[in-house]
Amino acid sequence: MNNFPQKLKLIYLPFIALGLTIIGGYTFLNWLLLIKFQVFSVNGEIINLWIPIFLPFIPGFIWLQRRVKLLRLKTRSGDLPGLYVIIACFGIAAPTLVAQSYLQTASGKLTALQNINNIGQQAPTKYYTLKTFYIDKAHSGAKAIFKTSGKNDEHLEMDLCFVSPILVSAADTGKGTCLAWLGVKYHQQISNSLSENAKKALYQAFAEGSEANFEKRDLADFTYLDMIGNNDDHRGYRAAIKQNKQVSGNRDLVLVPIDGSFEARNGNKLPWIFGSFAIGAGVWLIMILIPALNEDNVKKLQSGKTRSKGDARDVFSLLLPREGYFITPIIADLNILIFVAMVFAGLGFLSFDAPDLLAWGADYKPSVAGGQWWRLITSIFLHGGLIHVFANTFGLVFAGLFLEPKLGRVKFAGVYLAVGVLASLTSLWWHNATVSVGASGAIFGLYGTLLALILTKVYPRDFGKAFLPSILIFIGYNLLMGLRGSVDNAAHLGGLVSGFVIGLLLSQRMRTEVNEITPAPLENPSNGSV
C-alpha cells in the first residue's frame, strides 16, 4: 500500500468527485431542461445514450489524465495512462446511463383518460390509460426503415413500423381522422455484406412474418400506453403515418402499448445507479493501489506545473485557427457544427437518413441536373453520421497540418473547394441516382496534391521518406474499403486524381522556393510536464 493516503487524496477522491458531478449534474439538467420545463426538444437517444457515454471522456482526458500520470506506469507495451483514463470514464458513464433510463421512467406521470379525445385537454404526460377506446386496425399504416450499424457498416438494421388510429368507438372509423396513433415496431438485424438478392429475400421473410404477427395481435390488450418522445422510433412511426392515405391526424402523438404493471416500470434501475458506480469505484481503487506514485510528478502537480506535453488540450488545439494553420480548422469546425445542428434537429446521431441529407444539401444527380448546382459544394460539408464526420476530420487535419503551411491560406482553400467540386462531379458522372455526402472526396484531393508535391521533390527528401508510405497506405486502405456499396469510391477517385493533377501544376512553381517543410506546430505553452 505505497503512499495510500496520497493516492486517495490526489487520484481516488478526484475520480469520485468527478463521477458524482457528472452523474448528478447531468441527470439534474436533463430533468430540469428537457422534462420539467421542456426548454427544447432533442433526440432522446442522444440525451439518454450517447451524451452519457461520451461526456465523461472530456474531463477525463483533460483533467483526470493529469492525476493518472502521478502513478508510475510502464508504457512500453502500450499507453497505460490512457487505458486507466478510459476505464475510469466508462466507470462514470455506466451509472450515468442507468440514471437517465431511470429518470425517463420514474419522472413520467400516469394520466387516466376517459377517451382519446381528452388527451389535448390536459397537460401532456408520458403515460396514459384509456377507459373507452377503439383501435382501428383496418386502417393501419406501415413503413419499412433501413439503416446500417456496426464497424464499417457491417450490419443492416430492418424496422417495420405499424401505426393504427386510436378512436373513441368503432362509429368513428368513417371520419378519416384521429388524434393519436398506436405504434407497434418489429426489428431484425442481418449482415450488410450479403448480396442484394439475399438481403431482399431476408427482408421479404421478415416483412411477411411481422405482418402475420401484427394481424393476429390483439391491439387492445395492454395495461397502459407510453407516449413516444423525440427519438428514432418516433421518426419511423411518423413515416408510417405519412404513408397512411386513408386517415389523417396528428403525426406527433404516437402511443406504444405496454403490457405490465405500471409500478414495476422502473425495475431495478435505481439501485443499479449506485451499484454500477460502486463497482467502477472499486475497480478504480484496485487499479491505483497497484502501481507506485511518481514522486517527481507529484511535486510538479503540487507546485502547479501540471501541463503535459501532448495531452488532450493539444488535440483540441487542432480545431483552433492560428498562423500557418487557419483554413483547415475552420473547415473541420464547420463540418462538426453542421453535424451537431443535424443532431439537435432530431435527424439522428450515428447515421442520418437519405431524405434528410438531401434536404440539407446532399449531392444528387437529378437535383443537380435540375439546376441545384450549389449541391456540388454543400455536399462536401455534410456527413452521414458520427463515424463519418470523425474519420473525415482526422483525415482533413492530418493533410492540412502539412499542406496548408506550404500552400498558404488562399491557395489551400482554393484547392480544397476545387477538388471537392470535382469529386462531386465525378460522383454524379458515375451514379445516376445516389445521395452522396462527405468531405472525403475533397480530402482525397488534398492527399493527391500532397502526394504530387512529395513526388516532385517540393518537400524535403526526408519528409517524403517518412510520410509517403503512410499516405499510400491511407489512400489504398480507403479505396479498398470503398469497394463496399455504402462508400462513394467515385468521389474518392475523382478527388484523388484531380488533386494529383493540381499538385503537379503547383509543383512547377513551388520547386523554385525554399525546399523546407514547416508543419503547423501544436500550441504548447508548457512550463513543466506531468
Side-chain angles (χ1 to χ4, degrees):
M1 299 289 181
N2 293 335
N3 306 110
F4 179 67
Q6 275 190 296
K7 289 180 179 179
L8 284 180
K9 178 181 177 181
L10 299 176
I11 306 174
Y12 187 72
L13 292 181
F15 165 80
I16 297 297
L18 179 63
L20 293 177
T21 301
I22 291 178
I23 298 168
Y26 182 75
T27 303
F28 174 74
L29 289 175
N30 187 359
W31 171 80
L32 183 68
L33 300 178
L34 300 181
I35 296 177
K36 177 67 175 178
F37 294 108
Q38 300 180 1
V39 177
F40 48 83
S41 176
V42 183
N43 189 304
E45 293 181 358
I46 297 170
I47 294 297
N48 300 318
L49 177 63
W50 298 113
I51 292 181
I53 289 176
F54 289 108
L55 180 61
F57 286 85
I58 298 174
F61 276 96
I62 292 178
W63 183 65
L64 191 60
Q65 181 175 234
R66 289 180 290 165
R67 302 285 173 157
V68 171
K69 290 185 176 180
L70 299 179
L71 298 172
R72 195 176 297 278
L73 296 171
K74 296 180 180 180
T75 59
R76 290 183 179 180
S77 59
D79 184 13
L80 280 182
L83 179 61
Y84 265 58
V85 174
I86 290 173
I87 293 175
C89 291
F90 276 119
I92 297 173
T96 308
L97 279 169
V98 179
Q100 306 323 300
S101 179
Y102 173 76
L103 181 66
Q104 295 305 306
T105 55
S107 62
K109 179 183 176 183
L110 180 66
T111 300
L113 301 176
Q114 177 66 31
N115 58 62
I116 198 63
N117 288 343
N118 301 136
I119 198 167
Q121 300 171 6
Q122 303 183 40
T125 59
K126 182 171 176 57
Y127 303 110
Y128 294 92
T129 60
L130 292 174
K131 185 175 182 179
T132 304
F133 64 92
Y134 176 75
I135 308 300
D136 187 8
K137 182 186 281 190
H139 294 97
S140 298
K143 178 67 175 179
I145 306 293
F146 303 93
K147 60 183 178 181
T148 57
S149 65
K151 185 178 180 180
N152 299 322
D153 295 335
E154 59 185 332
H155 304 303
L156 178 63
E157 310 289 344
M158 303 186 299
D159 291 335
L160 193 55
C161 299
F162 292 89
V163 288
S164 303
I166 304 177
L167 308 174
V168 176
S169 67
D172 296 326
T173 55
K175 295 181 179 180
T177 185
C178 69
L179 290 176
W181 304 79
L182 188 83
V184 177
K185 188 185 81 168
Y186 297 89
H187 172 79
Q188 183 174 325
Q189 181 189 87
I190 63 175
S191 172
N192 197 30
S193 62
L194 297 172
S195 67
E196 290 300 317
N197 289 335
K199 292 178 185 177
K200 289 179 181 178
L202 288 173
Y203 167 70
Q204 188 65 30
F206 164 68
E208 291 175 356
S210 300
E211 290 171 2
N213 182 277
F214 181 76
E215 289 300 325
K216 292 188 298 182
R217 180 169 179 169
D218 182 5
L219 299 183
D221 184 17
F222 59 82
T223 306
Y224 61 98
L225 297 167
D226 181 0
M227 185 169 69
I228 296 296
N230 182 4
N231 56 31
D232 288 346
D233 284 349
H234 189 259
R235 294 169 61 202
Y237 289 128
R238 281 177 57 89
I241 295 171
K242 189 175 181 180
Q243 289 284 102
N244 193 326
K245 304 300 182 183
Q246 299 173 305
V247 179
S248 62
N250 185 353
R251 295 180 182 176
D252 292 326
L253 192 50
V254 179
L255 303 171
V256 174
I258 305 296
D259 184 18
S261 170
F262 178 74
E263 290 72 21
R265 70 193 185 283
N266 294 322
N268 295 320
K269 295 174 185 175
L270 182 59
W272 266 110
I273 297 174
F274 300 98
S276 57
F277 187 56
I279 292 172
V283 171
W284 181 249
L285 180 61
I286 295 172
M287 289 176 62
I288 67 172
L289 287 179
I290 298 173
L293 280 176
N294 186 321
E295 296 297 339
D296 291 337
N297 288 347
V298 170
K299 292 178 181 178
K300 290 178 181 178
L301 176 69
Q302 293 173 340
S303 65
K305 298 180 179 181
T306 60
R307 173 79 166 130
S308 299
K309 293 182 179 180
D311 71 10
R313 283 174 288 184
D314 286 332
V315 176
F316 290 118
S317 74
L318 295 175
L319 300 177
L320 301 176
R322 57 182 179 273
E323 186 63 32
Y325 179 73
F326 190 82
I327 300 299
T328 301
I330 289 178
I331 296 173
D333 292 341
L334 184 58
N335 292 340
I336 295 171
L337 285 174
I338 293 174
F339 168 77
V340 171
M342 295 182 70
V343 168
F344 277 89
L347 304 182
F349 183 69
L350 288 182
S351 62
F352 302 124
D353 293 335
D356 294 326
L357 291 170
L358 191 62
W360 279 64
D363 198 17
Y364 186 57
K365 189 171 185 177
S367 298
V368 175
Q372 298 178 3
W373 292 97
W374 44 269
R375 292 183 179 273
L376 297 174
I377 295 178
T378 56
S379 62
I380 66 178
F381 296 98
L382 289 173
H383 291 83
L386 175 66
I387 303 301
H388 194 197
V389 71
F390 177 81
N392 279 351
T393 300
F394 175 81
L396 170 64
V397 166
F398 183 83
L401 278 171
F402 296 102
L403 195 57
E404 184 178 348
K406 199 71 172 176
L407 297 180
R409 295 183 186 180
V410 176
K411 200 174 292 184
F412 178 83
V415 170
Y416 184 83
L417 292 175
V419 294
V421 169
L422 291 170
S424 297
L425 287 171
T426 307
S427 177
L428 295 184
W429 171 73
W430 186 261
H431 303 292
N432 288 323
T434 297
V435 176
S436 180
V437 295
S440 54
I443 293 170
F444 262 80
L446 295 182
Y447 280 93
T449 302
L450 188 60
L451 183 61
L453 296 183
I454 290 175
L455 294 177
T456 54
K457 306 296 191 296
V458 171
Y459 285 96
R461 186 182 300 274
D462 290 342
F463 176 83
K465 287 182 179 180
F467 287 96
L468 183 59
S470 60
I471 292 173
L472 292 175
I473 291 173
F474 172 86
I475 293 172
Y477 173 79
N478 282 279
L479 289 177
L480 183 63
M481 295 303 298
L483 297 177
R484 298 181 296 113
S486 59
V487 178
D488 189 357
N489 239 359
H492 291 175
L493 288 170
L496 179 65
V497 173
S498 60
F500 187 79
V501 172
I502 290 175
L504 292 177
L505 296 175
L506 291 174
S507 67
Q508 301 298 319
R509 187 174 182 179
M510 296 178 67
R511 275 184 296 182
T512 61
E513 299 176 357
V514 178
N515 194 23
E516 183 176 303
I517 173 64
T518 54
L522 292 174
E523 293 181 346
N524 188 16
S526 174
N527 59 3
S529 61
V530 171

